[in-house]
Amino acid sequence: MRDKTTTAEQVAAGLRSGMTLGIGGWGSRRKPMALVRAVLRSGITDLTVVSYGGPDVGMLAAAGRIRRLVTPFVTLDSIPLEPHYRAARERGALTLAEMDEAMFLWGLRAAAHRLPFLPVRAGLGSDVMRINPDLRTVTSPYEDGETFVAMPALRLDAALVHVNRADRSGNGQYLGPDPYFDDLFCAAADTAYVSCERIVDTAELTGQAPPQTLLIKRHTVTGVVEAPYGAHFTSCAPDYGRDESFQRTYATTPWPEFAARFLAGDEQAYRSAVGEGT
């Protein structure tokens, strides 16, 4: 099995402007923030971002890196609407494809299975179809003749996800209460990068947790980054919860000031600036 370990900087260097980038996690939970910060430190721009959005979207939008966003929501959970994303939307800094959560999920599933679309009931009878005029419906070829939304595959050039543990080959393990859909992001992407709190030997992955926690399979992973505290300031249960105090600082600080204070240096400088583990 190949050693796929790399660094956040090398991941960002392998990305390119104009690509479609999927970002795992959910809202302000288990986001691959160390990788997002590496992207922010790079010159990558003009991105199409696909995400159950949280501060990943807020930061990239505030920095002017997103051209188009595909999402069902952008939230900080305890702060319902991500403020830096809202500001970007209000000034017309990006275009938005907003859809139902189930439609988004089915788009990831279609891409993961290399299908052009999957039928889904979600979205019918709602304004989702009106605000997304490119969406089409499909009629069942069977006796029922039911009409569905034909949710197109959300194919990704690259995906970024964060988990609790991983081995050097790219097997990724979550230990918290929810897997979210990180495995689908990886399977839907041409290249996928997993950051983790700790890299361990393969045997250790099942030594203290059941095999069902092995969310991500190595064949879908391009690179693995050991990034302790790499989801901060989002949560990464059970390793740590969301840093609500820092999240409030993020939400209430003008973006230029926040970026200059916390994102000007490398990841070690960030961890020192926020007081790692506090």
Side-chain angles (χ1 to χ4, degrees):
M1 293 185 290
R2 183 163 60 90
D3 188 332
K4 299 178 182 177
T5 55
T6 185
T7 67
E9 288 69 28
Q10 288 171 327
V11 169
L15 305 179
R16 65 184 186 278
S17 295
M19 73 188 327
T20 297
L21 180 65
I23 305 176
W26 179 283
S28 194
R29 289 172 260 181
R30 214 175 70 224
K31 284 290 181 176
M33 297 306 296
L35 300 182
V36 171
R37 289 188 286 269
V39 171
L40 286 165
R41 291 191 294 268
S42 75
I44 301 166
T45 188
D46 196 38
L47 294 170
T48 294
V49 171
V50 178
S51 174
Y52 288 100
D56 54 327
V57 170
M59 289 185 179
L60 291 170
R65 306 300 182 87
I66 302 177
R67 175 180 59 83
R68 181 172 182 261
L69 175 65
V70 182
T71 188
F73 56 75
V74 185
T75 180
L76 297 179
D77 293 321
S78 57
I79 300 173
L81 183 58
E82 217 284 357
H84 294 292
Y85 158 75
R86 179 181 62 191
R89 280 285 290 152
E90 288 175 347
R91 65 176 182 269
L94 53 86
T95 60
L96 175 65
E98 186 176 19
M99 58 196 61
D100 179 90
E101 293 174 24
M103 295 172 68
F104 188 93
L105 170 59
W106 250 240
L108 288 175
R109 288 194 186 281
H113 291 287
R114 301 303 187 263
L115 295 171
F117 72 93
L118 278 175
V120 61
R121 291 187 179 92
L124 290 173
S126 76
D127 276 349
V128 169
M129 302 299 289
R130 180 183 61 80
I131 64 174
N132 294 284
D134 291 339
L135 289 175
R136 299 289 183 265
T137 58
V138 62
T139 301
S140 169
Y142 298 104
E143 188 175 296
D144 60 280
E146 187 174 353
T147 297
F148 302 91
V149 175
M151 180 61 202
L154 294 175
R155 289 288 299 148
L156 310 173
D157 295 313
L160 310 177
V161 305
H162 186 80
V163 294
N164 301 90
R165 307 287 184 268
D167 67 12
R168 293 178 178 274
S169 299
N171 296 299
Q173 181 180 55
Y174 80 101
L175 299 174
D178 198 324
Y180 311 122
F181 303 107
D182 291 352
D183 55 331
L184 293 181
F185 277 94
C186 291
D190 294 336
T191 58
Y193 300 95
V194 177
S195 61
C196 63
E197 293 298 313
R198 186 161 62 93
I199 290 177
V200 300
D201 291 336
T202 303
E204 190 176 336
L205 291 173
T206 55
Q208 297 180 346
Q212 292 86 345
T213 60
L214 295 177
L215 177 65
I216 295 169
K217 310 303 186 291
R218 65 179 185 270
H219 73 273
T220 66
V221 173
T222 307
V224 181
V225 177
E226 187 172 63
Y229 216 44
H232 185 270
F233 51 91
T234 72
S235 62
C236 187
D239 292 310
Y240 47 85
R242 183 165 53 241
D243 187 338
E244 295 287 1
S245 176
F246 188 83
Q247 179 164 274
R248 286 192 295 272
T249 297
Y250 164 75
T252 57
T253 303
W255 174 251
E257 179 183 339
F258 181 89
R261 182 178 175 187
F262 294 107
L263 302 177
D266 59 13
E267 192 65 12
Q268 184 58 51
Y270 171 82
R271 289 162 62 178
S272 298
V274 303
E276 178 182 345
T278 63

